[in-house]
Amino acid sequence: MWDKKRKFALLRQVKGMKIGNIEFKKCPLFLAPMEDVTDPSFRLMCKRFGADMVYTEFVSSDALIRNVGKTVQKLQVSEDERPVAIQIYGRETDAMVEAAKICEEASPDIIDINFGCPVKKVAGKGAGAGMLRNIPQMLTITKAVVNAVKLPVTVKTRLGWDNDSKVIVSLAEQLQDCGIAALSIHGRTRSQMYTGEADWTLIGEVKNNPRMVIPIIGNGDVTTAAGCKKMFDLYGVDAVMVGRGAIGCPWVFEEMRYYLDNGVELERHPFNWYMDILKQQVLQSVERLDERRGILHIRRHIAASPLFKGIPDFKSMRVAMLRAENVKDLFDLFDCVPRQFGLN
C-alpha cells in the first residue's frame, strides 16, 4: 500500500493536476466554500497568500431561480480571484439545472455541487449532505448539471451519512461516471457534523482506486503546514482543501505553500504584521457591508484566529474584541494586544 501511495504522490509532484482545462501547480491548495466566510474580499485575501483556487459561499438553487437578491450577489466573481468556483446546492433536478445555467452566465471557472453541507436547514431538507440518503437522486442531479453546462462540474461530499453507511469509495466511481471533472471529499460523515477527527483513510482509498482518473481533493482538519504536507504524502491526494483552518488566518496558505516547497516552516512575521492583516479584513468587511454589519461579520474571524490562542489571561481581551461595535474601538483593542501582552 505504501508503494502505491508513494507512486501517486511522485506522479502528482511531477505532473501537477488539471480540472478540465485548468492547470494547477504541484500540490495545489484550495479555499473551501464556507457560508458567511468566503465572501469576495476573503477569497481575494486568501488568493493573495497563495490559495490556488477559491470557492464562493454556497448558493441555493431555489433562491437563485427565484432571483433572490442576496443569493444573486453571491455570483459576483472577479478576474483577480481566478480560478474560482461557484458552488450550488439543492434537491430538485430541474432547479439545479436552471441554477447551474444561471451560474455559468456569471463566468466562473468551475461549477461545484454541494453534497456535503451537514447543517439541519440544508441536509434536513434533503439537500447538501442530505443527498447521501438518496444516492440515485444525487447521481441524477449530477449527470443533469454536467450535461446542462459547458464549464467543468465538480462535486464536494462526505464519507457517507453516518458510520454505518460510509459509501464514498463506490459513490466516487458513480459520480465520476456522471462526468464530473474532480471530487472533493470531507473526511467525516454527515452525522459527525464537524465533531471528532476527520478520517482521511477512505479519502486515500478513493484516490488509490485504479478506476478513479479524476482529481481527488482532500478536506478536513488541515490547519497547519506540516499537517497539509502529511495529507499529500500519506494519501496521495491531488489537492488539499482548507476550510476552518483559514478563518481568521488567511496567511495559512503562505505557510503551507512554503512548507510544501521548502520542507521547513516559514519564519514567523512580527506580531503586528498579523494584526495588520486582521485590520485589513475588518476594513474590507465594513466597506462591503457597513460598519455595524461589517463588524458583526468579522467577529467569527477574530474568534477563530489562532493568533490569540495560547496567550495567558487573554479571555477578557477576546470578549472585549467581540463586543466592540465600531472600527475605532476594535482597532484600539488590536493595538493594545502587543503592548499589554508583550508580543513582538
Side-chain angles (χ1 to χ4, degrees):
M1 178 60 73
W2 171 254
D3 289 342
K4 182 181 289 186
K5 290 178 180 177
R6 188 65 177 165
K7 174 183 176 183
F8 276 106
L10 289 173
L11 285 173
R12 182 196 66 246
Q13 290 171 6
V14 171
K15 296 182 177 180
M17 63 166 280
K18 292 179 68 175
I19 298 178
N21 293 322
I22 306 169
E23 296 186 1
F24 295 91
K25 66 180 70 173
K26 66 179 183 180
C27 301
L29 303 171
F30 294 173
L31 172 67
M34 292 177 282
E35 181 67 3
D36 292 327
V37 174
T38 52
D39 56 72
S41 60
F42 187 65
R43 298 198 302 264
L44 285 169
M45 181 74 76
C46 291
K47 288 288 289 190
R48 166 184 165 187
F49 286 109
D52 294 291
M53 186 161 76
V54 296
Y55 292 69
T56 64
E57 303 168 77
F58 57 69
V59 174
S60 164
S61 59
D62 291 336
L64 186 57
I65 64 177
R66 295 199 312 270
N67 201 36
V68 175
K70 289 184 178 180
T71 300
V72 174
Q73 289 178 0
K74 293 181 181 180
L75 303 188
Q76 296 178 358
V77 298
S78 70
E79 290 299 316
D80 291 337
E81 57 185 306
R82 296 189 185 279
V84 56
I86 293 178
Q87 188 185 71
I88 58 176
Y89 75 94
R91 61 181 182 179
E92 301 296 337
T93 304
D94 290 345
M96 286 288 283
V97 166
E98 187 174 348
K101 291 178 179 179
I102 295 172
C103 290
E104 188 171 39
E105 293 177 1
S107 297
D109 299 283
I110 287 169
I111 293 175
D112 187 68
I113 305 176
N114 180 326
F115 291 139
C117 179
V119 300
K120 186 175 181 179
K121 68 178 183 179
V122 175
K125 296 179 180 179
M131 278 290 166
L132 288 164
R133 293 197 292 183
N134 189 353
I135 301 300
Q137 178 64 359
M138 178 193 290
L139 300 177
T140 296
I141 288 174
T142 303
K143 187 176 295 185
V145 170
V146 167
N147 291 334
V149 297
K150 296 179 181 179
L151 291 173
V153 174
T154 59
V155 162
K156 186 172 189 289
T157 190
R158 291 185 167 230
L159 303 181
W161 177 259
D162 56 27
N163 194 54
D164 295 324
S165 57
K166 294 181 178 180
V167 297
I168 190 60
V169 176
S170 60
L171 176 60
E173 289 190 46
Q174 293 174 291
L175 289 167
Q176 178 176 259
D177 290 342
C178 291
I180 64 171
L183 175 64
S184 301
I185 306 170
H186 183 107
R188 288 182 173 87
T189 64
R190 188 274 171 178
S191 295
Q192 285 181 272
M193 301 292 287
Y194 295 102
T195 62
E197 294 184 1
D199 179 4
W200 280 65
T201 56
L202 286 178
I203 300 176
E205 191 172 333
V206 171
K207 175 58 197 173
N208 291 316
N209 179 350
R211 292 183 291 276
M212 295 300 299
V213 297
I214 60 173
I216 302 300
I217 303 151
N219 173 230
D221 293 350
V222 182
T223 59
T224 66
C228 176
K229 187 175 188 302
K230 176 182 176 181
M231 298 313 176
F232 277 116
D233 290 345
L234 286 183
Y235 304 105
V237 291
D238 297 285
V240 163
M241 180 177 283
V242 182
R244 289 175 294 165
I247 302 177
C249 187
W251 55 81
V252 73
F253 291 100
E254 179 186 57
E255 296 173 350
M256 290 177 175
R257 174 53 55 199
Y258 189 88
Y259 196 98
L260 288 168
D261 291 345
N262 300 284
V264 294
E265 299 279 357
L266 176 67
E267 184 177 346
R268 285 189 63 80
H269 298 284
F271 188 83
N272 278 329
W273 182 91
Y274 299 100
M275 295 303 298
D276 285 344
I277 300 303
L278 290 184
K279 286 182 178 180
Q280 290 175 40
Q281 287 190 252
V282 172
L283 293 175
Q284 290 169 353
S285 181
V286 168
E287 181 181 3
R288 186 174 64 90
L289 301 168
D290 56 47
E291 187 167 47
R292 185 186 67 81
R293 291 185 299 158
I295 293 291
L296 289 173
H297 174 77
I298 210 66
R299 282 177 179 171
R300 72 168 57 198
H301 290 267
I302 297 170
S305 181
L307 188 59
F308 308 120
K309 292 181 179 178
I311 301 177
D313 304 317
F314 192 76
K315 182 177 179 180
S316 60
M317 177 65 78
R318 185 190 302 275
V319 170
M321 287 180 178
L322 297 179
R323 287 179 176 173
E325 296 183 350
N326 59 68
V327 172
K328 182 184 182 304
D329 289 348
L330 182 57
F331 281 12
D332 284 346
L333 291 167
F334 280 0
D335 292 339
C336 280
V337 173
R339 295 195 303 267
Q340 183 172 332
F341 297 93
L343 299 169
N344 297 312

